[in-house]
Structures are given as structure tokens and as C-alpha cells.
Amino acid sequence: MRTLFFSLFGTLLLALLLAAPSWAGPAPLALDEGWEYRWGDSPFRSDGTPAWVAEPSSPGEWQPIAFPSNPPGRGGNKHAWFRITLPEGEWRDPVLYIYSVDLITQAWLADELIYQYGHFDARGEGRFAGWPWHMISLPETFAGRTLYFRVFSDYTDIGLWGEVKLMDRLDLLHYIIERSAGDLVVSAFLLLLALLAFIFALVQADRRSFLGIGLFALAAGSMLLAETQASQLLLEIPLLWDYLAAIGYYTLPVAMGLMLEHWFAVQRPTLLRRIWQLHLGYLVLAPGLALAGVVDLSSTFPAFDVLLLVTLLVMFTTIVVHLGALNVEQKLIISSYGLFALLLLVDMAVAHGLLPWRRVPVSVAALGFALAIVMISLWHYRHTQRELHRLNLSLEKQVAVRTRALEQMVEKLQAYSYQDALTGLHNRRYFDELLQHEAAVARRQGTPLTLAMIDIDHFKQFNDREGHEAGDTVLVGVGRVLTHHFRDADVVCRMGGEEFVVIMPGATAAIAEARLAELLEVLSRTRFRHGDRVLGPLSISCGIATYPEHAGDPLTLIGLADKALYSAKHRGRARIETYA
């Protein structure tokens, strides 16, 4: 809540500063002349002041330079000093504005330390602390005095960078906000676009397209917000903003590769997939090493810029090769992508001093690329919705017909379900139909047919004592034993409850009795496990009836076998009785 409050307060403050009239003082003065430089670091006197600001210098020690950045003949030097004699002026609240410094600096007005950014150790070195803009307050008596800058940098560049101006403090705040307003608006739009794209990615079928748009908008919006100078007025933690800018910057080629791979899927751009996967690895590795303190964040930018230069050209070339086969939408994407890539390269060249310093409108190109992708995606979405509506009208009748047919099929399958749900054995329905068939075969061929009725002894008491779940375990186990014990030609069915029946085509009563005697012996040695309990042993009672020995009609065997089973239970259970 406090963070939200301060963010809203900062935004309101920016709006008030932008709306407030600037003080009609002297115009800002760009300090583009009169600079001198000197390689190395000054020794310090016992009172803590640098010798170079207090002692007269010998001829040739200080050399003129057009702008205090990257003097010639660096030769591995990490320290440089710059100086300038400050001009006169009528500023009410004078400050010195510096766009950026590579990498840390001290500002001395004669022998007085008036500003420091970063921490200098005993060797005059220090770690990267971010790339903010700098506002150095000057005393009223600054005119005609010499201002010195002590700079340390182990980066590719060294010194002050961008622009250096002498101006009034309130004018500087207006200057910062006016030049940040456009980037702030574009950043807000891109972040809103990212939110909408991610929402669509969750609810729409074409998730990859919206995911790529959302990732690009999030990366570009975060990068622009972090790089805009007004962000420092909201939260003065430069290194945090630089990490956010780096992550957004390093994410851009990943998002661009994802989008281009999606839009040019017909051309099978495998190379595009490999490129964005390579950048994804760099995105994870570089900030991770910087956060771990292995490298400075600043050192990850030059390597990425080289990688980005190569991959941008490769991605663009890969697509342009197929230019003749592309449609209007794809050509629009290529055009907007080409403009964005070109401005990225120009911005990169300015950052490395290959081009004179200028503000490159990367935000405009990012906005154009995002809008082109969004417009095409929305057109496709609208077209898809129309097609879906048309198809829905024609499919509704087909769905109704298919649904009814499916319901009938389910009813039929249920009617012809032949499997007992608990044991997996055949059920009573299957037994009734199979007995009809086997009875007809036995009558026609004059072969014997035997039924064996099997009942688990005292199963009700067992259920009451051990519980129904244990009883189900026993039923499943007994069914498995029965299946393994009888011949392949014999069919075991569960009649219900603890009662089973075995149809034994071609078997006589004697054969059936021998098989059942072996079954009793097997079950007497069998134990069933339920959870951590061992159940058993169990006994069974069996009744046997055979056609034509005991019945003239095979269909009457079930009643005869049931009578024999009753006799077995009446005579003490755990035994086999054959109908007589």
C-alpha cells in the first residue's frame, strides 16, 4: 500500500511540475567547450584533497578535449580526470545537469568535494552503481572556478556522456519531464497492452500469438519506463531501474522471435526458434551472474549488443528471403519490424560512440511494431469469431443428432454390459446368455455340460466382523483364484453377493469334482491382504450338476446345482456335493 501511495504521489508531483510555469531565468547553457582531460588518478594529500586540484599543473599534463568522454590513448586506463572553468550566469538555483557517467564519479569545485556517485575504494576503484542522470548543486560563487571530475570505469566507455548543461534546478525538472512524457505515455500503453494480451492468452485458443504480443509489450514497456529519466524522480534507485531496463532489453529478441516464428510458421523458420532460445539463455544467465556479483551489470550490455546485432540481421534476412511468398499482413509485420530493428541499431551505435549523441525515438518504433501486430491479431480474431459463429449455426443440428446417437449407443452398451464391476468376472446377464448357447451345443453334439455353484462360507459374519471393504477384497481375491484355477474353456461368473458359478463345457461330474477338490485345497492355503491386515483362510461350499447325467435339459442344471450347493451347506459346509 505504501509503494502504491508513493507511486501515485510521485505521478501527481510530476504532473504538477510539468504544469507549473518555469522561472524566467537564464536559458540553460550547454558546456560543450573548454574541457580538458588527464589520464590516471590523482594522489591525495593528508587532508583528503586530490593533489591535482590544489597544485599547479605542468604544461602538457592536461589536454584539451571537445567533450569529456573517451579521451584518445586510453590504453587500458580505468581512471580519468576532466576539468572545466565554469562560466558566469544569473541562475537563481544553479545546478549542473549530466545525462550519464561511465561509471562512477566525484565532482570537485577547486578543493571542495561537492558531489559523488558510486563508492571509491582505497585504490580509487568501485563497482557499477547504475546509469542515472545527475544533478549537481552549485554554490552561488561557482562562476570562474574550476570544476573537476574524477572518473573510474572498467566499461568500454569512460567519462561523462550525452550532454552537460548549466541551468536552474526548476528548469531542469521541467526539462526532464518534458523529454520523458512521450516515453511514459508509450510505456503505459505497452504495459496495458501486455496485460490485455496475457488475459487473451488465458482465454483464447490462439494463445501463442497473444503470449508473444504480451511478452513484447511487457519487455518494451518495462524498458522504456526504466530508461526514461522521469523514473528517477519516482524512485531514486538507479541500479534497480538499470536491472529492469536490462531485463526488458534482453527480453525483446525473445518476444520478437516468438512472434515472427508464429506469423511465419508456414515458412518453417527453425532458425528463428533457435535465435530466440539463444537469447532466452542470455536473458537468464546475464542478470543472474550480475545479481550473484560475478560480473557487473554494465559488462553484460556490450556482449548482448554484439549478439543482438547479429541476430537482428539474421532474423530479418531469414524472413526477407521468403518475401515473394509473403502476404500483405506479413509484409506489414516485416516493415514495422525493420523500422524497430533499425532504430535499435542506431540507438546501439549512439550508446557505443559510433554515432554522435542524440535521442533515438525507440519508443515510437516499439509502439509501431506493437500496433501492427495488434491490428493484424485483432483482424484475425474478428475473422475467426465470424467463422465460428457461422460454423456454430450449421453444427448445432449436427451436434443434436450426434448427441442423440451417442445416448442410444450408451444405452445399448449399458444393456449389453457383461462384466461385474467389482471382480471383473462375467456377470449374471452374461451367464444366462452363455448357458443358452452351451446348452444348445451340448444337445446338438451330445456332449456333457457341467455347472458348479460355489458359495463362500459364513460370508455375512465375515462382513460384519471385518467390514464390507475387507469383504470386497476377499470377493476380488476369490474371483482371481477361480479364474486362474479352471480351464480356459471353463467360464467363471459372479451370480451376486458371495455366489459364483462355473460353466464347464465337455466336463463330467467326476472331472468337475476333482477340480473343485483342488480348489478347496488351494483356498485353504490362501491368505488375502487388506491394508495391513491378513484375511483368511476361507472355505467354500460347492454344488455340481451335469447334463445328461443328472438332467435331460441342460437349462435345468442351474436349479439342480443350486440344490446340491444347499445340500453341501446343510451337511457342514467346506465340502462338495454332486446332485443325486
Side-chain angles (χ1 to χ4, degrees):
M1 182 61 71
R2 291 182 62 186
T3 302
L4 178 59
F5 171 78
F6 284 123
S7 297
L8 293 174
F9 178 77
T11 304
L12 179 60
L13 177 62
L14 292 181
L16 291 175
L17 287 172
L18 188 60
S22 61
W23 178 67
L29 176 64
L31 300 183
D32 295 333
E33 297 178 353
W35 287 95
E36 293 180 311
Y37 76 94
R38 185 173 179 177
W39 285 117
D41 197 11
S42 171
F44 281 74
R45 301 187 304 182
S46 59
D47 62 356
T49 58
W52 289 359
V53 305
E55 299 173 356
S57 56
S58 302
E61 290 180 339
W62 290 90
Q63 302 292 327
I65 188 172
F67 189 81
S69 178
N70 294 325
R74 181 173 184 180
N77 277 302
K78 297 181 180 180
H79 294 88
W81 280 69
F82 303 92
R83 70 181 184 183
I84 188 173
T85 301
L86 295 176
E88 295 183 357
E90 298 297 328
W91 290 281
R92 182 175 60 179
D93 187 8
V95 295
L96 188 69
Y97 162 69
I98 305 172
Y99 187 86
S100 185
V101 174
D102 292 315
L103 289 171
I104 61 174
T105 188
Q106 288 179 339
W108 294 80
L109 189 60
D111 59 355
E112 178 186 358
L113 179 64
I114 63 171
Y115 182 78
Q116 177 168 314
Y117 182 74
H119 174 72
F120 286 84
D121 59 22
R123 297 180 302 171
E125 299 181 355
R127 291 184 64 86
F128 174 68
W131 276 309
W133 55 272
H134 302 268
M135 180 172 63
I136 303 174
S137 299
L138 297 174
E140 295 180 0
T141 58
F142 71 87
R145 302 172 69 183
T146 302
L147 181 64
Y148 295 84
F149 286 94
R150 179 194 185 196
V151 177
F152 165 78
S153 176
D154 55 3
Y155 184 57
T156 54
D157 296 324
I158 186 170
L160 283 59
W161 193 78
E163 55 185 348
V164 181
K165 291 185 177 183
L166 190 59
M167 56 201 309
D168 191 78
R169 186 185 303 271
L170 187 57
D171 288 338
L172 174 57
L173 295 178
H174 275 275
Y175 182 78
I176 293 296
I177 296 171
E178 287 173 0
R179 280 155 182 77
S180 302
D183 287 345
L184 287 173
V185 171
V186 174
S187 173
F189 172 78
L190 289 173
L191 293 176
L192 177 61
L193 175 61
L195 176 62
L196 295 175
F198 286 138
I199 293 174
F200 274 102
L202 292 175
V203 301
Q204 296 297 327
D206 193 9
R207 295 182 179 179
R208 189 166 185 178
S209 174
F210 286 108
L211 183 62
I213 294 172
L215 186 60
F216 176 84
L218 178 63
S222 301
M223 184 185 73
L224 291 175
L225 175 62
E227 289 185 344
T228 185
Q229 292 183 305
S231 62
Q232 195 171 325
L233 298 177
L234 293 174
L235 190 62
E236 193 172 0
I237 308 179
L239 200 55
L240 173 64
W241 290 116
D242 286 328
Y243 268 100
L244 183 60
I247 293 172
Y249 184 38
Y250 298 165
T251 304
L252 283 177
V254 179
M256 292 165 65
L258 280 171
M259 285 190 293
L260 291 175
E261 182 189 359
H262 170 76
W263 285 106
F264 298 93
V266 176
Q267 286 75 25
R268 300 182 181 276
T270 305
L271 183 59
L272 292 176
R273 184 180 305 113
R274 297 291 179 264
I275 288 174
W276 71 254
Q277 289 172 347
L278 173 64
H279 277 280
L280 180 61
Y282 195 92
L283 168 63
V284 174
L285 183 64
L289 292 176
L291 287 171
V294 178
V295 298
D296 278 338
L297 180 66
S298 59
S299 64
T300 65
F301 280 91
F304 177 80
D305 288 341
V306 173
L307 178 63
L308 182 62
L309 174 63
V310 174
T311 54
L312 281 177
L313 295 175
V314 171
M315 280 196 290
F316 190 74
T317 304
T318 301
I319 299 301
V320 170
V321 167
H322 303 283
L323 193 61
L326 303 183
N327 56 35
V328 176
E329 300 165 2
Q330 292 171 321
K331 289 179 180 178
L332 176 60
I333 295 172
I334 282 292
S335 300
S336 58
Y337 164 69
L339 176 61
F340 180 65
L342 177 62
L343 289 182
L344 273 181
L345 295 177
V346 172
D347 188 56
M348 187 190 306
V350 171
H352 291 285
L354 301 177
L355 293 175
W357 184 85
R358 69 191 68 186
R359 296 177 185 267
V360 182
V362 176
S363 60
V364 176
L367 180 61
F369 187 43
L371 287 177
I373 296 292
V374 169
M375 289 172 59
I376 294 173
S377 298
L378 290 177
W379 186 88
H380 275 279
Y381 175 74
R382 182 184 178 188
H383 177 73
T384 302
Q385 292 301 312
R386 286 182 175 180
E387 287 297 313
L388 287 175
H389 179 69
R390 184 182 61 82
L391 289 174
N392 283 338
L393 295 178
S394 62
L395 287 176
E396 284 180 355
K397 293 182 179 180
Q398 298 181 37
V399 170
V401 173
R402 294 291 178 86
T403 301
R404 180 55 188 162
L406 182 61
E407 290 174 350
Q408 293 174 346
M409 184 180 298
V410 170
E411 292 173 359
K412 187 175 181 180
L413 287 174
Q414 290 175 343
Y416 287 95
S417 176
Y418 294 131
Q419 189 178 51
D420 176 59
L422 177 63
T423 63
L425 300 174
H426 295 299
N427 58 14
R428 178 62 184 265
R429 182 184 294 113
Y430 185 85
F431 167 79
D432 291 338
E433 293 186 12
L434 182 62
L435 182 60
Q436 292 280 350
H437 171 74
E438 294 297 339
V441 172
R443 282 194 297 263
R444 184 170 63 251
Q445 298 181 355
T447 55
L449 175 65
T450 297
L451 286 188
M453 299 291 293
I454 301 171
D455 189 271
I456 301 175
D457 294 329
H458 304 295
F459 190 73
K460 183 179 183 303
Q461 292 88 335
F462 178 91
N463 261 349
D464 294 340
R465 183 177 68 254
E466 301 291 345
H468 288 283
E469 290 185 1
D472 289 346
T473 300
V474 167
L475 290 173
V476 172
V478 170
R480 186 162 52 246
V481 171
L482 293 176
T483 302
H484 292 160
H485 183 74
F486 288 94
R487 305 171 305 168
D488 291 340
D490 302 334
V491 180
V492 181
C493 302
R494 183 186 177 198
M495 297 295 283
E498 69 273 24
E499 191 173 47
F500 301 87
V501 63
V502 184
I503 301 178
M504 305 175 69
T508 64
I511 294 174
E513 188 170 351
R515 292 297 292 165
L516 288 171
E518 295 175 1
L519 176 62
L520 262 67
E521 179 64 20
V522 169
L523 286 175
S524 69
R525 301 191 305 268
T526 301
R527 303 292 185 273
F528 302 101
R529 180 173 293 277
H530 176 67
D532 57 353
R533 290 184 295 162
V534 176
L535 308 174
L538 296 171
S539 65
I540 59 173
S541 299
C542 308
I544 299 173
T546 302
Y547 168 84
E549 183 178 349
H550 302 130
D553 183 0
L555 295 179
T556 63
L557 288 177
I558 186 171
L560 302 180
D562 192 64
K563 289 180 179 180
L565 174 62
Y566 177 81
S567 177
K569 286 184 172 292
H570 184 68
R571 294 184 179 184
R573 294 184 170 84
R575 60 188 296 122
I576 305 166
E577 290 289 334
T578 301
Y579 180 79

